[in-house]
Amino acid sequence: MRCLKMISSNIDENEKEKSTVGYDSNSSKPNLKGDWSNFFLLLLLYTMQGFPLGLTSSIPILLQSQNDISYQDQALFSLAGWPFSLKLLWAPLVDALYIQKIGRRKSWLIPVQYLMGISFLYMAKEIDNFLPDTGTPNIVILMCMFLISNFLAATQDIVVDSWALTMLKKNNVGHASTCNTTGQAIGIMLGSVFPILFASEDFCNKYLRDTPTSGGLVTMKSVLYVWGLIFICVTTLIAIFKKENDCRLEFEHVKLNVTQNYSLLCDILKLPSIRILAVALLTAKVGFSVTDTVTYLELVDAGVSKDDITVINTGMFVVKIIIPLVTAKYTSGPKPMSIYLNSIAMKLIWSLTFILLVYFTPMLINNDDGNTNIPMYYYVVLILILFVDEILSYIMFVAVLAFFSRISDPRFGGTYITFLNTVTNLGATWTSTVALGAIDLLTFKKCSFDPFNYCSTLDYKNVRQHYIAIKFTYM
């Protein structure tokens, strides 16, 4: 604990020199008056952060619609999301290394977002080669490209999370979780809707055009190109117009070098309460990891259109955007973790509905001849199940982020809050990867002439007019 003791000693010596720049000591209640510009800037930064996440989440659905993609391929691509679960490894560097003249957070934000813009421009140039409309996609190259973009997004997340602790007034720090969840939801929606829906010829001809034509309204290439330019332009404006407070004037500022930051991380890990919290966060999503990860893929595999699923999922983004705003006054209160724990219990119970949905979907949407015919009541049930699940998920998300913002120390927020976020992300990532990798291993196939059994697995698609497969997936 030497690093923590040294910090406490430095604070005591400089007690008389404390500055309250960026904090409102006259009020303990949240009040965004005078903080609205910072609030919307954080919302914009989190929206930009959400775009690569949405783009990454859209790829598995696009891959699953191709006949030569297995769940092992999906598990391989899921590695692209791991940077958000490993960002703790370089968070101390982000906290310790910066150029004072530029600003503690802008020193990282500006180059990282420029690199994100450049990476999207490069991906726009090569995406048609690695993710062709016809033919086999190059899973390894796709994973590597999105791994790099997510690494940059994870670094941007470290910067923005820690900057939010000092950009907002102290009594408004709880609103950082609102900016995070709402902004990410908007970014994820933009990153997933355009590559799937607006690039889909079937969807555009069905809903957006009077006269059917070939191709969608946009292409993956054009989406990446536009967002590459957006990142470069927005970053330039922030570099020119946004002034960052001198970190030396921040409340109880302590200057730590890289070694001390990593030592601080070790000291944090030694705290008994942090260890208990880490174990809880790492295992919190085990109970519903399969339903969160595999449900959409199983529905596509069973015959539900990826366009229909994306339309429904897009509607769910309204919930993701509104829930943080509605629950802000509760999650910014003194006990956000109680809300999180109660939501986990309800989500575990609600996950049982996904098991029933996946099991009965082939029976509900397929005729005796094996053709897909989805009744309207099926969509009603699907939307209801997803609607309740999204509410519970985002209440959990907002509550736990509000808790992290409340307990994190702004003097070394990049390390502290990133540690907590990383553990949370790791709890979701490892369960997701294991779930995807285990699906094929835990799936048993049996040939049958039973007309109620619909063959949707890769091995039997070419001969399903002769054999029908029964597939039992244990989740």
Side-chain angles (χ1 to χ4, degrees):
M1 298 290 190
R2 288 182 298 174
C3 188
L4 290 177
K5 291 180 180 178
M6 180 196 69
I7 293 171
S8 299
S9 176
N10 289 341
I11 292 172
D12 292 338
E13 292 175 1
N14 296 292
E15 188 71 26
K16 295 182 180 180
E17 300 179 6
K18 290 179 183 177
S19 172
T20 57
V21 173
Y23 294 89
D24 184 0
S25 59
N26 296 323
S27 175
S28 60
K29 295 183 179 180
N31 183 0
L32 286 173
K33 184 178 181 180
D35 240 356
W36 280 109
S37 60
N38 293 326
F39 179 89
F40 285 114
L41 176 58
L42 288 173
L43 192 65
L44 173 62
L45 292 174
Y46 280 118
T47 298
M48 295 171 67
Q49 180 189 126
F51 173 75
L53 297 178
L55 200 61
T56 303
S57 68
S58 69
I59 297 299
I61 296 178
L62 295 174
L63 293 176
Q64 194 67 16
S65 62
Q66 301 189 22
N67 294 339
D68 49 356
I69 295 299
S70 67
Y71 279 106
Q72 295 297 325
D73 294 325
Q74 295 281 12
L76 175 61
F77 182 79
S78 72
L79 297 177
W82 274 77
F84 274 85
S85 300
L86 301 175
K87 60 184 179 179
L88 183 64
L89 298 178
W90 62 93
L93 294 175
V94 176
D95 248 2
L97 302 177
Y98 56 90
I99 301 174
Q100 186 66 54
K101 187 175 181 179
I102 298 176
R104 186 178 185 181
R105 308 308 176 189
K106 287 176 65 178
S107 295
W108 284 90
L109 183 73
I110 294 171
V112 164
Q113 291 197 162
Y114 273 134
L115 288 174
M116 292 176 73
I118 294 171
S119 69
F120 289 138
L121 293 178
Y122 173 77
M123 290 168 65
K125 179 182 177 182
E126 300 293 339
I127 193 66
D128 290 339
N129 297 326
F130 303 132
L131 187 62
D133 293 333
T134 58
T136 304
N138 193 323
I139 302 296
V140 175
I141 298 297
L142 280 174
M143 186 273 292
C144 291
M145 288 198 305
F146 282 92
L147 182 70
I148 293 172
S149 68
N150 283 331
F151 169 78
L152 295 172
T155 305
Q156 191 252 27
D157 184 46
I158 298 171
V159 177
V160 178
D161 283 348
S162 52
W163 198 4
L165 298 178
T166 54
M167 184 187 297
L168 295 172
K169 298 176 183 178
K170 186 176 182 180
N171 56 309
N172 290 328
V173 165
H175 286 291
S177 64
T178 303
C179 297
N180 190 326
T181 51
T182 302
Q184 277 196 5
I186 296 172
I188 292 172
M189 179 182 68
L190 295 174
S192 59
V193 170
F194 282 90
I196 296 181
L197 289 186
F198 292 160
S200 169
E201 179 180 327
D202 293 337
F203 175 81
C204 293
N205 287 337
K206 185 176 181 180
Y207 297 105
L208 304 178
R209 290 172 176 154
D210 294 330
T211 304
T213 57
S214 61
L217 294 180
V218 299
T219 62
M220 178 74 82
K221 181 176 182 178
S222 63
V223 170
L224 289 168
Y225 183 77
V226 169
W227 273 93
L229 295 179
I230 289 175
F231 267 84
I232 292 174
C233 293
V234 170
T235 304
T236 301
L237 293 175
I238 292 175
I240 296 173
F241 295 107
K242 177 59 181 176
K243 303 300 180 183
E244 183 179 354
N245 292 330
D246 190 337
C247 65
R248 293 171 295 184
L249 301 178
E250 291 176 1
F251 181 65
E252 295 181 345
H253 169 69
V254 177
K255 171 65 176 177
L256 300 179
N257 58 35
V258 175
T259 303
Q260 290 171 328
N261 262 289
Y262 279 102
S263 177
L264 172 65
L265 178 59
C266 293
D267 290 343
I268 293 173
L269 290 170
K270 293 177 183 177
L271 297 174
S273 57
I274 292 296
R275 289 182 177 181
I276 295 173
L277 178 61
V279 172
L281 294 174
L282 284 172
T283 56
K285 296 186 178 181
V286 170
F288 38 81
S289 61
V290 176
T291 55
D292 284 352
T293 305
V294 183
T295 297
Y296 286 134
L297 303 181
E298 283 290 317
L299 295 181
V300 171
D301 196 33
V304 181
S305 168
K306 65 179 177 62
D307 292 341
D308 292 341
I309 289 178
T310 306
V311 170
I312 295 172
N313 196 35
T314 301
M316 294 299 114
F317 280 105
V318 177
V319 178
K320 297 178 182 180
I321 294 171
I322 293 177
I323 285 296
L325 302 176
V326 173
T327 60
K329 67 177 182 179
Y330 303 105
T331 56
S332 60
K335 295 182 178 180
M337 203 60 176
S338 297
I339 300 174
Y340 176 78
L341 295 174
N342 292 333
S343 299
I344 283 183
M346 290 186 285
K347 185 172 171 64
L348 282 171
I349 296 173
W350 192 251
S351 293
L352 297 175
T353 62
F354 284 94
I355 298 175
L356 297 175
L357 176 69
V358 171
Y359 181 80
F360 286 107
T361 290
M363 306 176 193
L364 297 175
I365 70 174
N366 294 302
N367 296 327
D368 293 348
D369 58 1
N371 294 323
T372 300
N373 182 22
I374 305 178
M376 184 57 65
Y377 70 82
Y378 177 83
Y379 285 115
V380 174
V381 173
L382 177 60
I383 291 172
L384 175 63
I385 292 175
L386 294 177
F387 179 76
V388 175
D389 184 70
E390 288 293 347
I391 291 177
L392 295 174
S393 296
Y394 257 70
I395 289 176
M396 288 171 54
F397 189 30
V398 177
V400 77
L401 289 181
F403 178 71
F404 294 164
S405 296
R406 179 169 292 275
I407 67 174
S408 295
D409 195 322
R411 292 167 294 163
F412 21 84
T415 299
Y416 214 114
I417 198 170
T418 298
F419 166 74
L420 298 172
N421 284 333
T422 299
V423 174
T424 303
N425 292 333
L426 187 59
T429 306
W430 80 263
T431 53
S432 173
T433 300
V434 170
L436 287 169
I439 288 296
D440 283 339
L441 297 176
L442 299 178
T443 298
F444 300 90
K445 308 176 186 72
K446 178 181 178 182
C447 289
S448 169
F449 288 99
D450 185 350
F452 293 99
N453 293 326
Y454 176 63
C455 180
S456 61
T457 57
L458 178 62
D459 294 338
Y460 293 99
K461 277 185 176 179
N462 294 329
V463 293
R464 68 183 179 189
Q465 63 270 32
H466 302 295
Y467 298 101
I468 306 295
I470 302 175
K471 182 171 67 174
F472 298 98
T473 301
Y474 295 90
M475 295 187 293

